[in-house]
Amino acid sequence: KAFLGMSPHQSPFSKAIDNCDEFLVVRNANKNMYGRLWCVVELAFARAAKKQVQIAGNMPPRTTASGSDLVAAATCSDEDDASILREVVRGSPAGLVTLISEVVAAPSGSALNSGAGSYSRA
């Protein structure tokens, strides 16, 4: 609860994203990171701040779910936090689901423009 505070937009995660030049996604070949609601929210913050998204690592084999399916299935260990974080996701800028789909599909070493919806090899 200490990290979330009164608003996720005031959390240390949000403040760090606002103050960074780029947003680094480090994928794990053993676990789909977008099963965690906080990972979805952090990408929403990066999208809202129009940060370039750098991709490192690989997704687990056979990760083919759409961005909307991943967002819908994302969980949080604290139900109160989950409700608040889902509100953040619902209020996030258009294109978050597309960006998640592109992060999942992009090869390691890619750079995504979180505002343009397309990726290029870095």
Side-chain angles (χ1 to χ4, degrees), residues 29-85:
N30 297 314
K31 185 78 173 161
N32 176 4
M33 65 192 298
Y34 294 110
R36 294 188 63 239
L37 195 50
W38 261 112
C39 291
V40 173
V41 168
E42 289 168 1
L43 193 59
F45 289 156
R47 172 126 178 101
K50 296 184 169 104
K51 301 297 180 177
Q52 183 177 56
V53 179
Q54 297 290 333
I55 310 293
N58 296 306
M59 290 297 290
R62 297 182 291 282
T63 302
T64 58
S66 70
S68 59
D69 291 339
L70 292 172
V71 169
T75 62
C76 182
S77 60
D78 183 288
E79 283 305 313
D80 293 334
D81 285 357
S83 295
I84 294 167
L85 295 175

Side-chain angles (χ1 to χ4, degrees), residues 86-106:
R86 289 206 180 281
E87 283 299 317
V88 171
V89 171
R90 278 191 282 280
S92 66
L96 173 62
V97 167
T98 300
L99 181 58
I100 290 174
S101 295
E102 290 181 347
V103 167
V104 168

Side-chain angles (χ1 to χ4, degrees), residues 3-4 20 25 31 34-35 37 40 46 54 56 61 77 79 82 93 108 111 114-115 119 121:
F3 283 121
L4 190 55
C20 70
V25 172
K31 185 78 173 161
Y34 294 110
L37 195 50
V40 173
Q54 297 290 333
S77 60
E79 283 305 313
S108 184
S114 66
Y119 65 87
R121 196 83 159 131

